[in-house]
Amino acid sequence: MTGKTSIPPPRQTRRARRSPSLSGPGNAAAARGGHQEGETPFNPACGGCGSLVIEAFDDGVVFVRMDNRIMAYEMRGTSVELAGPKTRIADVRNGVVLYDGEPPSKEPRVGDRTYRFVRGAIDSQLTHDGEHVPARSSTLAPTFDAAPLQLSVTEQDGATHWTIDTDGSIPVASSGGPGAQFDDCDAVTGACERIGELEMTGGDPMFLGNDM
């Protein structure tokens, strides 16, 4: 994207529910690369670890793809082989594992944590509460037996790209007219608010780090 933007700085007050992914003193230590006294540091047995890929991190559990398997490691030392080479982890939020390919293990536990497996496209994401999947649509599919979440800005309004913001809200980019319009949508109610417009010289109004 090129051109000048009139998008104001992001707001700090949103009401979307958040995942507890990085909360708590133990997880804060893990995020810094350390561990609490009496705990076992994260140390996967992967040889040189040349093929190690961190797929996701949720509530003190890191999901790692290496060699021909996907492992889930609890920062306190518990580990579980979750899946084989034909499974990919798209996202993990609030106890929900979004995966593509073959189903993961039938035993959805890592230590004292229980996970729920939901199939989805590899480029999909979960809302921070783990309850809906934004995937190339303003109609977010639920991860459990509930109604979809409908954003107020839809494809009929020109919506073309979606992502999850760090505060849990759902930014939506819409094309049409001289520029691209950007809205910020609540992940609980689906209500959207216009935040600005970007002058375009060509291409799609995509979000950095996400082609959804």
Side-chain angles (χ1 to χ4, degrees), residues 21-22 27 30 41-44 52-66 70-82 89 92 110 113 115:
S21 298
L22 294 175
N27 295 340
F42 171 53
N43 184 24
L52 186 147
V53 176
I54 295 178
E55 301 271 54
F57 182 83
D58 180 68
D59 194 23
V61 177
V62 60
F63 296 78
V64 177
R65 175 164 49 91
M66 54 187 180
I70 293 177
M71 301 289 296
Y73 288 89
E74 190 181 34
M75 288 301 180
R76 287 173 290 187
T78 304
S79 64
V80 173
E81 183 170 341
L82 205 65
I89 301 297
V92 182
V110 182
R113 296 168 173 82
Y115 287 89

PDB file of all heavy atoms in Angstrom, residues 21-22 27 30 41-44 52-66 70-82 89 92 110 113 115:
ATOM      1  N   SER A  21      -4.043 -15.493  27.513  1.00  0.00           N
ATOM      2  CA  SER A  21      -2.878 -16.187  26.994  1.00  0.00           C
ATOM      3  C   SER A  21      -1.576 -15.815  27.699  1.00  0.00           C
ATOM      4  O   SER A  21      -0.725 -16.655  27.907  1.00  0.00           O
ATOM      5  CB  SER A  21      -2.740 -15.894  25.495  1.00  0.00           C
ATOM      6  OG  SER A  21      -3.845 -16.376  24.801  1.00  0.00           O
ATOM      7  N   LEU A  22      -1.364 -14.551  28.022  1.00  0.00           N
ATOM      8  CA  LEU A  22      -0.086 -14.143  28.578  1.00  0.00           C
ATOM      9  C   LEU A  22      -0.236 -13.584  29.981  1.00  0.00           C
ATOM     10  O   LEU A  22       0.603 -12.812  30.429  1.00  0.00           O
ATOM     11  CB  LEU A  22       0.573 -13.080  27.673  1.00  0.00           C
ATOM     12  CG  LEU A  22       0.987 -13.594  26.308  1.00  0.00           C
ATOM     13  CD1 LEU A  22       1.517 -12.441  25.467  1.00  0.00           C
ATOM     14  CD2 LEU A  22       2.058 -14.671  26.417  1.00  0.00           C
ATOM     15  N   ASN A  27       3.536 -17.094  33.361  1.00  0.00           N
ATOM     16  CA  ASN A  27       3.576 -16.864  31.918  1.00  0.00           C
ATOM     17  C   ASN A  27       4.410 -15.639  31.579  1.00  0.00           C
ATOM     18  O   ASN A  27       5.033 -15.569  30.529  1.00  0.00           O
ATOM     19  CB  ASN A  27       2.157 -16.712  31.378  1.00  0.00           C
ATOM     20  CG  ASN A  27       1.364 -17.996  31.533  1.00  0.00           C
ATOM     21  OD1 ASN A  27       1.932 -19.063  31.683  1.00  0.00           O
ATOM     22  ND2 ASN A  27       0.053 -17.885  31.520  1.00  0.00           N
ATOM     23  N   ALA A  30       7.813 -16.838  31.443  1.00  0.00           N
ATOM     24  CA  ALA A  30       8.049 -17.604  30.226  1.00  0.00           C
ATOM     25  C   ALA A  30       8.220 -16.689  29.037  1.00  0.00           C
ATOM     26  O   ALA A  30       9.042 -16.927  28.160  1.00  0.00           O
ATOM     27  CB  ALA A  30       6.890 -18.575  29.990  1.00  0.00           C
ATOM     28  N   PRO A  41      12.237 -25.277  32.755  1.00  0.00           N
ATOM     29  CA  PRO A  41      12.205 -24.396  31.586  1.00  0.00           C
ATOM     30  C   PRO A  41      11.840 -25.171  30.336  1.00  0.00           C
ATOM     31  O   PRO A  41      12.040 -26.376  30.250  1.00  0.00           O
ATOM     32  CB  PRO A  41      13.641 -23.860  31.513  1.00  0.00           C
ATOM     33  CG  PRO A  41      14.467 -24.911  32.193  1.00  0.00           C
ATOM     34  CD  PRO A  41      13.591 -25.476  33.285  1.00  0.00           C
ATOM     35  N   PHE A  42      11.287 -24.473  29.354  1.00  0.00           N
ATOM     36  CA  PHE A  42      10.906 -25.072  28.073  1.00  0.00           C
ATOM     37  C   PHE A  42      12.157 -25.541  27.349  1.00  0.00           C
ATOM     38  O   PHE A  42      13.035 -24.758  27.030  1.00  0.00           O
ATOM     39  CB  PHE A  42      10.150 -24.026  27.249  1.00  0.00           C
ATOM     40  CG  PHE A  42       9.883 -24.457  25.822  1.00  0.00           C
ATOM     41  CD1 PHE A  42       9.263 -25.663  25.564  1.00  0.00           C
ATOM     42  CD2 PHE A  42      10.249 -23.649  24.770  1.00  0.00           C
ATOM     43  CE1 PHE A  42       8.992 -26.056  24.269  1.00  0.00           C
ATOM     44  CE2 PHE A  42       9.989 -24.030  23.472  1.00  0.00           C
ATOM     45  CZ  PHE A  42       9.361 -25.236  23.211  1.00  0.00           C
ATOM     46  N   ASN A  43      12.253 -26.844  27.104  1.00  0.00           N
ATOM     47  CA  ASN A  43      13.440 -27.407  26.481  1.00  0.00           C
ATOM     48  C   ASN A  43      13.042 -28.615  25.643  1.00  0.00           C
ATOM     49  O   ASN A  43      13.177 -29.757  26.068  1.00  0.00           O
ATOM     50  CB  ASN A  43      14.460 -27.815  27.550  1.00  0.00           C
ATOM     51  CG  ASN A  43      15.757 -28.309  26.925  1.00  0.00           C
ATOM     52  OD1 ASN A  43      16.081 -27.968  25.790  1.00  0.00           O
ATOM     53  ND2 ASN A  43      16.490 -29.140  27.661  1.00  0.00           N
ATOM     54  N   PRO A  44      12.495 -28.397  24.439  1.00  0.00           N
ATOM     55  CA  PRO A  44      12.029 -29.522  23.623  1.00  0.00           C
ATOM     56  C   PRO A  44      13.177 -30.402  23.167  1.00  0.00           C
ATOM     57  O   PRO A  44      14.253 -29.921  22.830  1.00  0.00           O
ATOM     58  CB  PRO A  44      11.360 -28.821  22.432  1.00  0.00           C
ATOM     59  CG  PRO A  44      12.034 -27.503  22.333  1.00  0.00           C
ATOM     60  CD  PRO A  44      12.344 -27.108  23.756  1.00  0.00           C
ATOM     61  N   LEU A  52      12.286 -26.703  13.960  1.00  0.00           N
ATOM     62  CA  LEU A  52      11.294 -26.322  14.967  1.00  0.00           C
ATOM     63  C   LEU A  52      10.567 -25.049  14.556  1.00  0.00           C
ATOM     64  O   LEU A  52      11.183 -24.057  14.179  1.00  0.00           O
ATOM     65  CB  LEU A  52      11.981 -26.125  16.318  1.00  0.00           C
ATOM     66  CG  LEU A  52      11.067 -25.857  17.520  1.00  0.00           C
ATOM     67  CD1 LEU A  52      11.673 -26.469  18.783  1.00  0.00           C
ATOM     68  CD2 LEU A  52      10.869 -24.356  17.735  1.00  0.00           C
ATOM     69  N   VAL A  53       9.225 -25.102  14.626  1.00  0.00           N
ATOM     70  CA  VAL A  53       8.383 -23.941  14.340  1.00  0.00           C
ATOM     71  C   VAL A  53       7.384 -23.789  15.480  1.00  0.00           C
ATOM     72  O   VAL A  53       6.674 -24.748  15.810  1.00  0.00           O
ATOM     73  CB  VAL A  53       7.614 -24.097  13.010  1.00  0.00           C
ATOM     74  CG1 VAL A  53       6.673 -22.911  12.791  1.00  0.00           C
ATOM     75  CG2 VAL A  53       8.583 -24.235  11.850  1.00  0.00           C
ATOM     76  N   ILE A  54       7.333 -22.632  16.116  1.00  0.00           N
ATOM     77  CA  ILE A  54       6.330 -22.378  17.143  1.00  0.00           C
ATOM     78  C   ILE A  54       5.033 -21.987  16.453  1.00  0.00           C
ATOM     79  O   ILE A  54       4.951 -20.968  15.780  1.00  0.00           O
ATOM     80  CB  ILE A  54       6.792 -21.278  18.115  1.00  0.00           C
ATOM     81  CG1 ILE A  54       8.019 -21.763  18.890  1.00  0.00           C
ATOM     82  CG2 ILE A  54       5.671 -20.901  19.083  1.00  0.00           C
ATOM     83  CD1 ILE A  54       8.587 -20.739  19.847  1.00  0.00           C
ATOM     84  N   GLU A  55       4.013 -22.820  16.585  1.00  0.00           N
ATOM     85  CA  GLU A  55       2.737 -22.605  15.917  1.00  0.00           C
ATOM     86  C   GLU A  55       1.833 -21.657  16.700  1.00  0.00           C
ATOM     87  O   GLU A  55       1.105 -20.857  16.106  1.00  0.00           O
ATOM     88  CB  GLU A  55       2.015 -23.948  15.727  1.00  0.00           C
ATOM     89  CG  GLU A  55       2.766 -24.980  14.912  1.00  0.00           C
ATOM     90  CD  GLU A  55       2.476 -24.872  13.437  1.00  0.00           C
ATOM     91  OE1 GLU A  55       2.648 -23.775  12.889  1.00  0.00           O
ATOM     92  OE2 GLU A  55       2.079 -25.899  12.845  1.00  0.00           O
ATOM     93  N   ALA A  56       1.825 -21.765  18.027  1.00  0.00           N
ATOM     94  CA  ALA A  56       0.916 -20.945  18.836  1.00  0.00           C
ATOM     95  C   ALA A  56       1.364 -20.994  20.291  1.00  0.00           C
ATOM     96  O   ALA A  56       2.148 -21.863  20.695  1.00  0.00           O
ATOM     97  CB  ALA A  56      -0.524 -21.448  18.712  1.00  0.00           C
ATOM     98  N   PHE A  57       0.834 -20.034  21.074  1.00  0.00           N
ATOM     99  CA  PHE A  57       1.097 -19.982  22.518  1.00  0.00           C
ATOM    100  C   PHE A  57      -0.195 -19.555  23.195  1.00  0.00           C
ATOM    101  O   PHE A  57      -0.793 -18.556  22.810  1.00  0.00           O
ATOM    102  CB  PHE A  57       2.229 -18.991  22.822  1.00  0.00           C
ATOM    103  CG  PHE A  57       2.576 -18.913  24.279  1.00  0.00           C
ATOM    104  CD1 PHE A  57       3.427 -19.844  24.848  1.00  0.00           C
ATOM    105  CD2 PHE A  57       2.054 -17.919  25.081  1.00  0.00           C
ATOM    106  CE1 PHE A  57       3.744 -19.785  26.198  1.00  0.00           C
ATOM    107  CE2 PHE A  57       2.364 -17.843  26.429  1.00  0.00           C
ATOM    108  CZ  PHE A  57       3.214 -18.784  26.991  1.00  0.00           C
ATOM    109  N   ASP A  58      -0.625 -20.330  24.193  1.00  0.00           N
ATOM    110  CA  ASP A  58      -1.890 -20.013  24.844  1.00  0.00           C
ATOM    111  C   ASP A  58      -1.840 -20.433  26.302  1.00  0.00           C
ATOM    112  O   ASP A  58      -1.642 -21.613  26.610  1.00  0.00           O
ATOM    113  CB  ASP A  58      -3.048 -20.733  24.135  1.00  0.00           C
ATOM    114  CG  ASP A  58      -4.402 -20.439  24.793  1.00  0.00           C
ATOM    115  OD1 ASP A  58      -4.846 -19.285  24.709  1.00  0.00           O
ATOM    116  OD2 ASP A  58      -4.987 -21.362  25.371  1.00  0.00           O
ATOM    117  N   ASP A  59      -2.015 -19.489  27.204  1.00  0.00           N
ATOM    118  CA  ASP A  59      -2.174 -19.757  28.626  1.00  0.00           C
ATOM    119  C   ASP A  59      -1.068 -20.650  29.178  1.00  0.00           C
ATOM    120  O   ASP A  59      -1.319 -21.623  29.893  1.00  0.00           O
ATOM    121  CB  ASP A  59      -3.550 -20.384  28.878  1.00  0.00           C
ATOM    122  CG  ASP A  59      -3.923 -20.363  30.364  1.00  0.00           C
ATOM    123  OD1 ASP A  59      -3.371 -19.534  31.096  1.00  0.00           O
ATOM    124  OD2 ASP A  59      -4.759 -21.191  30.772  1.00  0.00           O
ATOM    125  N   GLY A  60       0.175 -20.337  28.839  1.00  0.00           N
ATOM    126  CA  GLY A  60       1.297 -21.084  29.382  1.00  0.00           C
ATOM    127  C   GLY A  60       1.648 -22.358  28.648  1.00  0.00           C
ATOM    128  O   GLY A  60       2.519 -23.108  29.096  1.00  0.00           O
ATOM    129  N   VAL A  61       0.984 -22.646  27.530  1.00  0.00           N
ATOM    130  CA  VAL A  61       1.284 -23.835  26.725  1.00  0.00           C
ATOM    131  C   VAL A  61       1.753 -23.389  25.345  1.00  0.00           C
ATOM    132  O   VAL A  61       1.090 -22.576  24.696  1.00  0.00           O
ATOM    133  CB  VAL A  61       0.053 -24.758  26.588  1.00  0.00           C
ATOM    134  CG1 VAL A  61       0.370 -25.952  25.693  1.00  0.00           C
ATOM    135  CG2 VAL A  61      -0.403 -25.246  27.966  1.00  0.00           C
ATOM    136  N   VAL A  62       2.900 -23.919  24.907  1.00  0.00           N
ATOM    137  CA  VAL A  62       3.423 -23.577  23.589  1.00  0.00           C
ATOM    138  C   VAL A  62       3.248 -24.782  22.672  1.00  0.00           C
ATOM    139  O   VAL A  62       3.513 -25.920  23.053  1.00  0.00           O
ATOM    140  CB  VAL A  62       4.910 -23.143  23.662  1.00  0.00           C
ATOM    141  CG1 VAL A  62       5.794 -24.242  24.224  1.00  0.00           C
ATOM    142  CG2 VAL A  62       5.418 -22.698  22.303  1.00  0.00           C
ATOM    143  N   PHE A  63       2.735 -24.537  21.469  1.00  0.00           N
ATOM    144  CA  PHE A  63       2.474 -25.575  20.475  1.00  0.00           C
ATOM    145  C   PHE A  63       3.579 -25.503  19.433  1.00  0.00           C
ATOM    146  O   PHE A  63       3.749 -24.477  18.767  1.00  0.00           O
ATOM    147  CB  PHE A  63       1.099 -25.366  19.847  1.00  0.00           C
ATOM    148  CG  PHE A  63      -0.033 -25.506  20.836  1.00  0.00           C
ATOM    149  CD1 PHE A  63      -0.344 -24.475  21.715  1.00  0.00           C
ATOM    150  CD2 PHE A  63      -0.769 -26.680  20.894  1.00  0.00           C
ATOM    151  CE1 PHE A  63      -1.378 -24.607  22.636  1.00  0.00           C
ATOM    152  CE2 PHE A  63      -1.806 -26.817  21.804  1.00  0.00           C
ATOM    153  CZ  PHE A  63      -2.103 -25.787  22.688  1.00  0.00           C
ATOM    154  N   VAL A  64       4.318 -26.599  19.273  1.00  0.00           N
ATOM    155  CA  VAL A  64       5.539 -26.611  18.479  1.00  0.00           C
ATOM    156  C   VAL A  64       5.446 -27.684  17.402  1.00  0.00           C
ATOM    157  O   VAL A  64       5.074 -28.831  17.685  1.00  0.00           O
ATOM    158  CB  VAL A  64       6.773 -26.886  19.369  1.00  0.00           C
ATOM    159  CG1 VAL A  64       8.038 -26.973  18.522  1.00  0.00           C
ATOM    160  CG2 VAL A  64       6.917 -25.790  20.418  1.00  0.00           C
ATOM    161  N   ARG A  65       5.766 -27.314  16.163  1.00  0.00           N
ATOM    162  CA  ARG A  65       5.871 -28.283  15.062  1.00  0.00           C
ATOM    163  C   ARG A  65       7.336 -28.570  14.812  1.00  0.00           C
ATOM    164  O   ARG A  65       8.140 -27.658  14.607  1.00  0.00           O
ATOM    165  CB  ARG A  65       5.203 -27.731  13.806  1.00  0.00           C
ATOM    166  CG  ARG A  65       5.366 -28.619  12.576  1.00  0.00           C
ATOM    167  CD  ARG A  65       4.373 -28.241  11.487  1.00  0.00           C
ATOM    168  NE  ARG A  65       4.355 -26.816  11.224  1.00  0.00           N
ATOM    169  CZ  ARG A  65       5.115 -26.212  10.306  1.00  0.00           C
ATOM    170  NH1 ARG A  65       5.969 -26.909   9.583  1.00  0.00           N
ATOM    171  NH2 ARG A  65       5.010 -24.907  10.110  1.00  0.00           N
ATOM    172  N   MET A  66       7.709 -29.857  14.854  1.00  0.00           N
ATOM    173  CA  MET A  66       9.095 -30.232  14.608  1.00  0.00           C
ATOM    174  C   MET A  66       9.137 -31.653  14.065  1.00  0.00           C
ATOM    175  O   MET A  66       8.343 -32.508  14.463  1.00  0.00           O
ATOM    176  CB  MET A  66       9.924 -30.135  15.887  1.00  0.00           C
ATOM    177  CG  MET A  66       9.398 -30.903  17.067  1.00  0.00           C
ATOM    178  SD  MET A  66      10.350 -30.544  18.558  1.00  0.00           S
ATOM    179  CE  MET A  66       9.485 -31.577  19.745  1.00  0.00           C
ATOM    180  N   ILE A  70       3.569 -32.678  16.032  1.00  0.00           N
ATOM    181  CA  ILE A  70       3.294 -31.426  16.737  1.00  0.00           C
ATOM    182  C   ILE A  70       3.200 -31.748  18.213  1.00  0.00           C
ATOM    183  O   ILE A  70       2.463 -32.641  18.634  1.00  0.00           O
ATOM    184  CB  ILE A  70       1.981 -30.786  16.246  1.00  0.00           C
ATOM    185  CG1 ILE A  70       2.132 -30.325  14.795  1.00  0.00           C
ATOM    186  CG2 ILE A  70       1.598 -29.597  17.125  1.00  0.00           C
ATOM    187  CD1 ILE A  70       0.870 -29.734  14.200  1.00  0.00           C
ATOM    188  N   MET A  71       3.981 -31.029  19.018  1.00  0.00           N
ATOM    189  CA  MET A  71       4.012 -31.223  20.456  1.00  0.00           C
ATOM    190  C   MET A  71       3.400 -30.002  21.146  1.00  0.00           C
ATOM    191  O   MET A  71       3.490 -28.876  20.659  1.00  0.00           O
ATOM    192  CB  MET A  71       5.448 -31.414  20.938  1.00  0.00           C
ATOM    193  CG  MET A  71       6.177 -32.592  20.320  1.00  0.00           C
ATOM    194  SD  MET A  71       5.549 -34.192  20.904  1.00  0.00           S
ATOM    195  CE  MET A  71       5.974 -34.110  22.646  1.00  0.00           C
ATOM    196  N   ALA A  72       2.786 -30.259  22.296  1.00  0.00           N
ATOM    197  CA  ALA A  72       2.300 -29.184  23.151  1.00  0.00           C
ATOM    198  C   ALA A  72       3.079 -29.258  24.456  1.00  0.00           C
ATOM    199  O   ALA A  72       3.090 -30.298  25.122  1.00  0.00           O
ATOM    200  CB  ALA A  72       0.805 -29.334  23.407  1.00  0.00           C
ATOM    201  N   TYR A  73       3.759 -28.173  24.809  1.00  0.00           N
ATOM    202  CA  TYR A  73       4.590 -28.123  26.006  1.00  0.00           C
ATOM    203  C   TYR A  73       3.998 -27.138  27.004  1.00  0.00           C
ATOM    204  O   TYR A  73       3.805 -25.957  26.687  1.00  0.00           O
ATOM    205  CB  TYR A  73       6.013 -27.674  25.664  1.00  0.00           C
ATOM    206  CG  TYR A  73       6.839 -28.702  24.928  1.00  0.00           C
ATOM    207  CD1 TYR A  73       6.818 -28.749  23.538  1.00  0.00           C
ATOM    208  CD2 TYR A  73       7.621 -29.614  25.607  1.00  0.00           C
ATOM    209  CE1 TYR A  73       7.571 -29.686  22.846  1.00  0.00           C
ATOM    210  CE2 TYR A  73       8.389 -30.553  24.925  1.00  0.00           C
ATOM    211  CZ  TYR A  73       8.354 -30.588  23.542  1.00  0.00           C
ATOM    212  OH  TYR A  73       9.100 -31.514  22.859  1.00  0.00           O
ATOM    213  N   GLU A  74       3.726 -27.616  28.201  1.00  0.00           N
ATOM    214  CA  GLU A  74       3.372 -26.731  29.292  1.00  0.00           C
ATOM    215  C   GLU A  74       4.669 -26.199  29.877  1.00  0.00           C
ATOM    216  O   GLU A  74       5.648 -26.943  30.037  1.00  0.00           O
ATOM    217  CB  GLU A  74       2.576 -27.497  30.345  1.00  0.00           C
ATOM    218  CG  GLU A  74       1.948 -26.618  31.401  1.00  0.00           C
ATOM    219  CD  GLU A  74       1.185 -27.436  32.421  1.00  0.00           C
ATOM    220  OE1 GLU A  74       1.623 -28.568  32.717  1.00  0.00           O
ATOM    221  OE2 GLU A  74       0.164 -26.961  32.924  1.00  0.00           O
ATOM    222  N   MET A  75       4.709 -24.925  30.212  1.00  0.00           N
ATOM    223  CA  MET A  75       5.944 -24.312  30.654  1.00  0.00           C
ATOM    224  C   MET A  75       6.495 -24.940  31.942  1.00  0.00           C
ATOM    225  O   MET A  75       7.661 -24.805  32.250  1.00  0.00           O
ATOM    226  CB  MET A  75       5.744 -22.806  30.838  1.00  0.00           C
ATOM    227  CG  MET A  75       5.617 -22.048  29.533  1.00  0.00           C
ATOM    228  SD  MET A  75       7.084 -22.268  28.489  1.00  0.00           S
ATOM    229  CE  MET A  75       6.642 -21.273  27.083  1.00  0.00           C
ATOM    230  N   ARG A  76       5.638 -25.643  32.698  1.00  0.00           N
ATOM    231  CA  ARG A  76       6.097 -26.286  33.931  1.00  0.00           C
ATOM    232  C   ARG A  76       6.667 -27.672  33.693  1.00  0.00           C
ATOM    233  O   ARG A  76       7.075 -28.347  34.621  1.00  0.00           O
ATOM    234  CB  ARG A  76       4.943 -26.345  34.940  1.00  0.00           C
ATOM    235  CG  ARG A  76       4.616 -24.994  35.540  1.00  0.00           C
ATOM    236  CD  ARG A  76       3.370 -25.040  36.401  1.00  0.00           C
ATOM    237  NE  ARG A  76       2.174 -25.226  35.581  1.00  0.00           N
ATOM    238  CZ  ARG A  76       0.931 -25.157  36.075  1.00  0.00           C
ATOM    239  NH1 ARG A  76       0.745 -24.930  37.357  1.00  0.00           N
ATOM    240  NH2 ARG A  76      -0.100 -25.321  35.281  1.00  0.00           N
ATOM    241  N   GLY A  77       6.687 -28.114  32.423  1.00  0.00           N
ATOM    242  CA  GLY A  77       7.384 -29.346  32.115  1.00  0.00           C
ATOM    243  C   GLY A  77       6.564 -30.430  31.459  1.00  0.00           C
ATOM    244  O   GLY A  77       7.115 -31.360  30.881  1.00  0.00           O
ATOM    245  N   THR A  78       5.223 -30.407  31.534  1.00  0.00           N
ATOM    246  CA  THR A  78       4.391 -31.425  30.909  1.00  0.00           C
ATOM    247  C   THR A  78       4.405 -31.269  29.390  1.00  0.00           C
ATOM    248  O   THR A  78       4.325 -30.158  28.878  1.00  0.00           O
ATOM    249  CB  THR A  78       2.943 -31.317  31.408  1.00  0.00           C
ATOM    250  OG1 THR A  78       2.934 -31.417  32.829  1.00  0.00           O
ATOM    251  CG2 THR A  78       2.086 -32.426  30.830  1.00  0.00           C
ATOM    252  N   SER A  79       4.500 -32.387  28.671  1.00  0.00           N
ATOM    253  CA  SER A  79       4.457 -32.340  27.208  1.00  0.00           C
ATOM    254  C   SER A  79       3.564 -33.453  26.684  1.00  0.00           C
ATOM    255  O   SER A  79       3.464 -34.515  27.285  1.00  0.00           O
ATOM    256  CB  SER A  79       5.862 -32.462  26.609  1.00  0.00           C
ATOM    257  OG  SER A  79       6.419 -33.724  26.908  1.00  0.00           O
ATOM    258  N   VAL A  80       2.902 -33.185  25.547  1.00  0.00           N
ATOM    259  CA  VAL A  80       1.999 -34.142  24.917  1.00  0.00           C
ATOM    260  C   VAL A  80       2.223 -34.087  23.415  1.00  0.00           C
ATOM    261  O   VAL A  80       2.319 -32.999  22.838  1.00  0.00           O
ATOM    262  CB  VAL A  80       0.519 -33.808  25.226  1.00  0.00           C
ATOM    263  CG1 VAL A  80      -0.407 -34.716  24.426  1.00  0.00           C
ATOM    264  CG2 VAL A  80       0.232 -33.951  26.712  1.00  0.00           C
ATOM    265  N   GLU A  81       2.331 -35.270  22.782  1.00  0.00           N
ATOM    266  CA  GLU A  81       2.361 -35.299  21.322  1.00  0.00           C
ATOM    267  C   GLU A  81       0.931 -35.144  20.835  1.00  0.00           C
ATOM    268  O   GLU A  81       0.081 -35.994  21.071  1.00  0.00           O
ATOM    269  CB  GLU A  81       2.964 -36.594  20.808  1.00  0.00           C
ATOM    270  CG  GLU A  81       3.072 -36.617  19.295  1.00  0.00           C
ATOM    271  CD  GLU A  81       3.878 -37.784  18.763  1.00  0.00           C
ATOM    272  OE1 GLU A  81       4.643 -38.373  19.546  1.00  0.00           O
ATOM    273  OE2 GLU A  81       3.717 -38.105  17.560  1.00  0.00           O
ATOM    274  N   LEU A  82       0.678 -34.045  20.141  1.00  0.00           N
ATOM    275  CA  LEU A  82      -0.688 -33.671  19.809  1.00  0.00           C
ATOM    276  C   LEU A  82      -1.130 -34.188  18.447  1.00  0.00           C
ATOM    277  O   LEU A  82      -2.300 -34.518  18.248  1.00  0.00           O
ATOM    278  CB  LEU A  82      -0.815 -32.148  19.844  1.00  0.00           C
ATOM    279  CG  LEU A  82      -2.188 -31.556  20.116  1.00  0.00           C
ATOM    280  CD1 LEU A  82      -2.642 -31.920  21.524  1.00  0.00           C
ATOM    281  CD2 LEU A  82      -2.159 -30.041  19.948  1.00  0.00           C
ATOM    282  N   ILE A  89      -1.515 -26.387  12.956  1.00  0.00           N
ATOM    283  CA  ILE A  89      -2.218 -25.567  13.930  1.00  0.00           C
ATOM    284  C   ILE A  89      -2.327 -24.152  13.367  1.00  0.00           C
ATOM    285  O   ILE A  89      -1.316 -23.500  13.094  1.00  0.00           O
ATOM    286  CB  ILE A  89      -1.487 -25.540  15.289  1.00  0.00           C
ATOM    287  CG1 ILE A  89      -1.345 -26.959  15.837  1.00  0.00           C
ATOM    288  CG2 ILE A  89      -2.239 -24.657  16.270  1.00  0.00           C
ATOM    289  CD1 ILE A  89      -2.632 -27.653  16.139  1.00  0.00           C
ATOM    290  N   VAL A  92      -4.539 -20.821  18.417  1.00  0.00           N
ATOM    291  CA  VAL A  92      -5.016 -21.344  19.700  1.00  0.00           C
ATOM    292  C   VAL A  92      -5.393 -20.158  20.569  1.00  0.00           C
ATOM    293  O   VAL A  92      -4.580 -19.249  20.765  1.00  0.00           O
ATOM    294  CB  VAL A  92      -3.951 -22.196  20.417  1.00  0.00           C
ATOM    295  CG1 VAL A  92      -4.518 -22.766  21.716  1.00  0.00           C
ATOM    296  CG2 VAL A  92      -3.446 -23.315  19.517  1.00  0.00           C
ATOM    297  N   VAL A 110      -3.384 -31.136  28.134  1.00  0.00           N
ATOM    298  CA  VAL A 110      -1.973 -30.843  28.336  1.00  0.00           C
ATOM    299  C   VAL A 110      -1.843 -30.444  29.794  1.00  0.00           C
ATOM    300  O   VAL A 110      -2.277 -29.363  30.195  1.00  0.00           O
ATOM    301  CB  VAL A 110      -1.473 -29.705  27.432  1.00  0.00           C
ATOM    302  CG1 VAL A 110       0.015 -29.474  27.658  1.00  0.00           C
ATOM    303  CG2 VAL A 110      -1.743 -30.028  25.966  1.00  0.00           C
ATOM    304  N   ARG A 113      -4.858 -28.744  31.642  1.00  0.00           N
ATOM    305  CA  ARG A 113      -5.647 -27.959  30.701  1.00  0.00           C
ATOM    306  C   ARG A 113      -6.349 -28.879  29.704  1.00  0.00           C
ATOM    307  O   ARG A 113      -5.747 -29.806  29.172  1.00  0.00           O
ATOM    308  CB  ARG A 113      -4.766 -26.966  29.945  1.00  0.00           C
ATOM    309  CG  ARG A 113      -4.121 -25.908  30.828  1.00  0.00           C
ATOM    310  CD  ARG A 113      -3.048 -25.168  30.047  1.00  0.00           C
ATOM    311  NE  ARG A 113      -2.516 -24.039  30.767  1.00  0.00           N
ATOM    312  CZ  ARG A 113      -1.574 -24.134  31.696  1.00  0.00           C
ATOM    313  NH1 ARG A 113      -1.058 -25.312  32.005  1.00  0.00           N
ATOM    314  NH2 ARG A 113      -1.125 -23.047  32.300  1.00  0.00           N
ATOM    315  N   TYR A 115      -8.408 -28.962  26.029  1.00  0.00           N
ATOM    316  CA  TYR A 115      -8.578 -28.181  24.808  1.00  0.00           C
ATOM    317  C   TYR A 115      -9.714 -28.739  23.957  1.00  0.00           C
ATOM    318  O   TYR A 115     -10.053 -29.914  24.035  1.00  0.00           O
ATOM    319  CB  TYR A 115      -7.280 -28.166  23.993  1.00  0.00           C
ATOM    320  CG  TYR A 115      -6.212 -27.299  24.624  1.00  0.00           C
ATOM    321  CD1 TYR A 115      -5.324 -27.833  25.551  1.00  0.00           C
ATOM    322  CD2 TYR A 115      -6.128 -25.949  24.331  1.00  0.00           C
ATOM    323  CE1 TYR A 115      -4.363 -27.036  26.149  1.00  0.00           C
ATOM    324  CE2 TYR A 115      -5.170 -25.143  24.925  1.00  0.00           C
ATOM    325  CZ  TYR A 115      -4.293 -25.696  25.831  1.00  0.00           C
ATOM    326  OH  TYR A 115      -3.356 -24.906  26.433  1.00  0.00           O
TER     327      TYR A 115
END
